[in-house]
Amino acid sequence: MDDADRMLQFIDASPSPFHACATAAAMLTADGFVEVDERDAWPDAPGRYVLRRGGSLVAWSTAASSAAHDPFRVVGAHTDSPNLRLKQHHDRTLDGARVVALEPYGGPLLGTWLDRDLGVAGRVVLRDGSERLVHVDEPVLRVPNLAIHLDRETSSPDKQRHLDGVWGLQGRGEARSFLSWLGEREGFAADDVLGFELMTTDTQPSARTGVDGALLAAPRLDNQATCFAGVRAMLAADEVPDVRPVLVMFDHEEVGSTSERGAQSDLLATVLERVVLAAGGTRDDLHRAVAASICASGDMAHATHPNRPDRHEPLHRIELGGGPVLKVNQNLRYATDARGTAVFAQACEQAGVPLQRYVHRADLPCGSTIGPISAARTGMTTVDVGAPQLAMHSAREVMAAADVDHYAAALTAFLAPA
Ligand code: ZN
């Protein structure tokens, strides 16, 4: 099994942001990271730690020789992906079909979610205050397409009217609610569920495709491919002299990052502050450290589409398998500046991997990332990077197996400069 296979396992085990954090935390703690609860007193011994806040995670590593004002090297990622989520009141029946009301989270390519075998995942909070992760990895829901005979225009689905999922037939008996079915499966009573964040998830396992398995087809490559590469880099960057490696994985990037755990939150700034204070540092040490720190904000990049090369900037073609991507935008949809670019280019040289440079067509609106948000929040030099993929925001996306290694190697060198 190589890193590409391990990444596919990571993705299949992580159907929601909460699961992505659980999977990452399990990999980190298995290698000696200690999980910290931010409600507790901060550990003052140097070492390797990880903290979760809902669907977000921060991991950091400090050596015994670290000074309180040593800079941080931060790899950023996001744990959420566009999908279809359950509405609060979601049970309805129509002409014998039992239906669960769904709505889009973020900007999914809606058509790709139709006619798929969907399971359900997320978290529920119970009456006793406890929180459960749930994951039914079986095809229970399906959003059927409309037959072409009933819609000759094959227009794209309407977000309010066309996305509910069928999950059974009404029959004669008492109609069970979806939550009571889920509770029976997952071991809780529906009456005890006071809050939930539940989402659908494609049950088709990730796969190696193409000749020799050179391609990877999987859900959530944007941006769990970065989460995986970031965890690999964090595991490799142990006892680094003079810099302190940090991995931050934010929830809610796909919906603007404004929440208690998104990139606009205090999460990263608070963790860095507590790390400095616990090392015996002052507020001045914190500001010295941040001023010298650099963040590589990782998010997936658009490889040149073989059927639509016209949608790409002709001087900035991006190859699948061609190595990590530096993302530059003059209007700061990406945070990349010359200083951050130089540091990341050096990391790629150190890792021995090629670097591709991406610029969006000037006549198309460019998507954004956590890069500019996190840079503004922390004041840290930030460089937007990624790995190339196709079909971003599809229920099933594509990247090259070789880029998993390239990406992890570049992020490792970035966290642990020679
Ligand atoms: Zn993304």
Side-chain angles (χ1 to χ4, degrees), residues 252-302:
H252 294 155
E253 188 272 346
E254 300 289 357
V255 292
S257 298
T258 308
S259 71
E260 97 294 355
R261 59 185 188 262
Q264 303 245 30
S265 75
D266 71 335
L267 177 60
L268 177 59
T270 301
V271 167
L272 299 184
E273 178 176 1
R274 292 177 85 175
V275 168
V276 169
L277 297 181
T282 61
R283 289 283 299 177
D284 196 53
D285 288 318
L286 172 66
H287 293 302
R288 288 178 67 187
V290 168
S293 296
I294 301 200
C295 172
S297 168
D299 205 342
M300 298 303 274
H302 302 295

Side-chain angles (χ1 to χ4, degrees), residues 78 80 82 222-223 253-254 298-300 327 368-369 392-393:
H78 68 86
D80 60 323
D222 170 16
N223 193 15
E253 188 272 346
E254 300 289 357
D299 205 342
M300 298 303 274
K327 302 195 267 184
S368 192
T369 67
M392 192 177 287
H393 291 194

Side-chain angles (χ1 to χ4, degrees), residues 133-220:
L133 293 193
V134 300
H135 182 198
V136 176
D137 193 16
E138 284 171 27
V140 62
L141 283 155
R142 201 172 172 88
V143 184
N145 251 306
L146 187 63
I148 194 164
H149 318 84
L150 302 177
D151 183 10
R152 294 287 178 188
E153 287 161 22
T154 59
S155 48
S156 83
D158 179 278
K159 290 178 186 173
Q160 169 63 23
R161 295 178 297 137
H162 299 159
L163 296 177
D164 293 350
V166 180
W167 73 289
L169 301 176
Q170 195 172 3
R172 290 175 184 277
E174 167 210 5
R176 235 182 346 171
S177 73
F178 188 77
L179 267 189
S180 69
W181 171 83
L182 186 62
E184 273 171 35
R185 290 293 310 263
E186 299 283 291
F188 56 79
D191 282 352
D192 286 337
V193 177
L194 300 188
F196 62 83
E197 288 161 85
L198 294 171
M199 57 204 75
T200 57
T201 172
D202 189 0
T203 57
Q204 183 181 357
S206 300
R208 295 187 81 122
T209 64
V211 174
D212 303 329
L215 297 167
L216 308 176
R220 302 182 294 279

Side-chain angles (χ1 to χ4, degrees), residues 76-78 250 253 257 263 295-299 327 332-336 368-385:
H78 68 86
F250 289 113
E253 188 272 346
S257 298
C295 172
S297 168
D299 205 342
K327 302 195 267 184
L332 285 186
R333 305 292 288 164
Y334 305 133
T336 307
S368 192
T369 67
I370 59 162
I373 296 168
S374 179
R377 190 73 184 77
T378 58
M380 217 178 267
T381 295
T382 299
V383 54
D384 265 286
V385 303

